[in-house]
Amino acid sequence: MNLLTSVILLVLFLAILGIGWVRLAPLPVERFSARPGPDTPGRHVFPGGVKYVVPLKDLPEGALDHLAWVALEAPRSRLRQQSDDQIAIVTRTRRIGFPDITVAWVADDALHIHAHLVYGRNDLGTNAARIDRWLEKLRHLEEDDDY
């Protein structure tokens, strides 16, 4: 086997090992209960994620429960933790399975949604786009005949 073939096989092996790690590695459990700031209403973008603070008066009653329902209807999203006032959802990318963690809770008359990646530094806006879709569905639940 020549050097080029060995290098290609090594790179392929490392790529498969990396993908396996992303899919099988335990997720940081402490992130399922974290409630980071800021706490002012609005959309707060930061490297690797986004935090929304939406006043409850702008949402249907039972917003947290409805958000859980909307989130679990999304592809590749799984509920990881739930309590009376908080949910934690893991959503994975389609092909490789990179995990993103979304934690939502109610505090100070607002729905807080914190979505962030687990690996890397930049989520390329995917968390914000996902939460925008979820909030849009949440705001229009009363108009939906299927619910």
Side-chain angles (χ1 to χ4, degrees), residues 48-96:
V50 65
K51 165 108 188 262
Y52 287 77
V53 181
V54 183
L56 289 174
K57 65 181 176 57
D58 298 341
L59 298 170
E61 192 169 327
L64 183 63
D65 293 332
H66 292 314
L67 179 68
W69 177 80
V70 167
L72 294 176
E73 290 292 311
R76 300 172 308 283
S77 293
R78 302 287 178 261
L79 183 66
R80 285 297 301 260
Q81 186 172 309
Q82 183 175 17
S83 64
D84 290 341
D85 66 342
Q86 181 172 317
I87 60 172
I89 295 166
V90 174
T91 304
R92 292 188 176 267
T93 59
R94 182 177 302 146
R95 289 184 176 82
I96 295 178

Side-chain angles (χ1 to χ4, degrees), residues 7-74:
V7 169
I8 291 172
L9 288 175
L10 178 64
V11 168
L12 184 60
F13 174 75
L14 292 175
I16 290 170
L17 192 64
I19 291 170
W21 173 255
V22 164
R23 287 213 176 247
L24 300 174
L27 295 173
V29 178
E30 67 277 1
R31 292 192 190 182
F32 296 141
S33 58
R35 294 184 175 196
D39 295 327
T40 57
R43 178 182 188 215
H44 310 279
V45 179
F46 54 92
V50 65
K51 165 108 188 262
Y52 287 77
V53 181
V54 183
L56 289 174
K57 65 181 176 57
D58 298 341
L59 298 170
E61 192 169 327
L64 183 63
D65 293 332
H66 292 314
L67 179 68
W69 177 80
V70 167
L72 294 176
E73 290 292 311

